[in-house]
Amino acid sequence: MNTAPASPSSSTGAPMALWAIADVERETGIGKDTLRVWERRYGFPAPQRDERGDRLYDAEQLSRLRLIRRLLDAGYRPGRVVGLPRDALEALAASALAQNLAAPQHLPGSAGEPDHLADDQLAPWMAWLRQDQTLRLREALRSAVRTRGLAQTVEAVVAPLCTAVGHAWLRGEIGVYQEHLFTEVVQATLREAIARTDETHPVGLRPPRVLLTTSPGEQHQLGLLMAECFLALEGCDRLPLGVCTPVAEIIGASERTGADVVALSYSDHASRRDVVETVAQLRQQLAASVELWIGGAGAVRNMRRVPPDVVVLRRAVDAAVQVRLWRQRRGLA
């Protein structure tokens, strides 16, 4: 945090704390270039300047930028929120949290109901995250995989934890970096478990060959990874491409790799347009023999608007169900 030598005074006469643009980027996760573009386009933020002309942001602007970042991650567009006053931003954040809390956190699927962690059981996990105890988080997840198995860990532990972390972030109870730490811990642990699972298939991986990715603009990949866990348990051949793959690249990769299925994940932050238009474009351009599966809260919310031959996975475990159905149709069960 930088306090300018000639910083203005507050109503009490005390110097006001000011943050340099690098500090604001670190505190909010909003890039310097983005801050400058918003300044020109929306008139906010409106930083002061020091004697060298460098930008300085006061605490009120920093607080508003934190709220804006939370709303962007909740699916709002910059043009909708950047220029709003603080009270309007707080109202939108409260509305986003209320919608998230009201949404069903567990949708009925084909498998039995897993023994989910209750709220009181989630409390120590969230405390470790708030206290930056990532090693405790990692070891607890590894222990869950050992004792519950990979499938139960994904359904009963990781899924409710993701929901709890999302709610805590919307409330401002954890920082951006803590959400990122959580994501990294979960990804590392699940990838370890996937690698061990692959080693247990003596005949190697079998069809269908599933290409996994997200469409442009979808940065969230935990849903994709959870689905991959169930594909691995079925001994399924997989081609994970990571996130934000352009549509043309998805189509090209499907053709060149001989994929049988393209699987996409959409988080709850995905807009209806992102889901419906991308899925329709892919279904039109993918080979007819290639199945298109989509999952995640964004996919479920828009399932009535996608082509009827697109498979919507309500839960990660449904990926395993679809693999079995695919094999049965081809006499490979």
Side-chain angles (χ1 to χ4, degrees):
M1 183 177 70
N2 295 338
T3 303
S7 60
S9 297
S10 66
S11 58
T12 62
M16 292 174 61
L18 298 174
W19 281 261
I21 193 169
D23 299 322
V24 173
E25 181 181 45
R26 184 169 55 250
E27 289 287 322
T28 64
I30 302 170
K32 298 175 187 176
D33 291 341
T34 299
L35 291 168
R36 297 186 187 104
V37 169
W38 288 357
E39 185 180 332
R40 294 193 302 270
R41 184 174 299 171
Y42 306 115
F44 181 82
Q48 303 172 40
R49 302 277 183 160
D50 64 13
E51 65 277 4
R52 296 173 299 182
D54 294 332
R55 291 170 170 81
L56 295 172
Y57 303 79
D58 61 30
E60 193 277 336
Q61 292 189 78
L62 179 62
S63 177
R64 281 174 65 185
L65 287 168
R66 286 188 178 121
L67 273 171
I68 288 168
R69 173 57 194 266
R70 284 157 54 191
L71 288 167
L72 293 180
D73 279 4
Y76 288 88
R77 301 296 186 187
R80 173 73 174 85
V81 298
V82 171
L84 294 179
R86 182 179 179 84
D87 56 351
L89 292 172
E90 290 176 340
L92 281 178
S95 174
L97 177 59
Q99 292 175 13
N100 209 342
L101 288 169
Q105 301 304 324
H106 184 72
L107 296 170
S110 305
E113 297 295 317
D115 183 18
H116 285 73
L117 291 182
D119 288 345
D120 58 336
Q121 294 172 308
L122 288 171
W125 298 74
M126 296 303 297
W128 296 330
L129 182 59
R130 292 188 183 94
Q131 297 161 13
D132 303 327
Q133 296 185 36
T134 52
L135 292 179
R136 290 288 301 274
L137 272 174
R138 187 188 299 269
E139 183 48 43
L141 276 173
R142 285 173 171 167
S143 176
V145 173
R146 288 193 299 268
T147 57
R148 290 174 174 261
L150 180 55
Q152 278 280 322
T153 298
V154 170
E155 283 270 271
V157 179
V158 175
L161 273 176
C162 287
T163 299
V165 169
H167 290 169
W169 192 88
L170 276 172
R171 294 189 189 101
E173 297 171 357
I174 61 174
V176 172
Y177 83 92
Q178 289 168 316
E179 185 188 29
H180 290 180
L181 282 174
F182 170 77
T183 299
E184 289 299 318
V185 167
V186 172
Q187 286 178 344
T189 306
L190 293 186
R191 293 221 172 273
E192 288 175 1
I194 287 172
R196 288 195 298 270
T197 300
D198 284 344
E199 294 171 357
T200 66
H201 300 293
V203 297
L205 300 181
R206 304 168 51 213
R209 172 172 285 186
V210 181
L211 186 153
L212 299 109
T213 189
T214 70
S215 56
E218 178 56 77
Q219 304 267 358
H220 298 79
Q221 57 184 323
L222 282 185
L224 201 67
L225 186 57
M226 288 191 283
E228 187 180 354
C229 289
F230 287 98
L231 296 177
L233 288 166
E234 294 297 315
C236 189
D237 191 4
R238 308 174 310 280
L239 297 165
L241 300 186
V243 297
C244 298
T245 304
V247 171
E249 291 296 320
I250 295 174
I251 294 165
S254 166
E255 294 172 350
R256 289 190 291 272
T257 62
D260 301 299
V261 176
V262 169
L264 302 179
S265 175
Y266 288 97
S267 68
D268 196 36
H269 308 313
S271 70
R272 180 174 66 182
R273 180 178 178 180
D274 290 341
V275 177
V276 175
E277 291 189 1
T278 303
V279 170
Q281 185 179 358
L282 279 169
R283 185 59 282 171
Q284 183 178 21
Q285 298 186 43
L286 286 169
S289 60
V290 177
E291 294 191 9
L292 181 56
W293 302 351
I294 63 174
V300 173
R301 189 175 64 246
N302 294 285
M303 61 187 300
R304 297 181 184 275
R305 300 180 177 91
V306 301
D309 56 345
V310 173
V311 175
V312 179
L313 309 178
R314 290 174 173 266
R315 289 164 49 190
V317 67
D318 289 347
V321 176
Q322 289 301 321
V323 167
R324 295 170 196 167
L325 291 173
W326 187 95
R327 288 172 176 165
Q328 287 175 7
R329 289 193 294 270
R330 290 157 180 81
L332 301 175

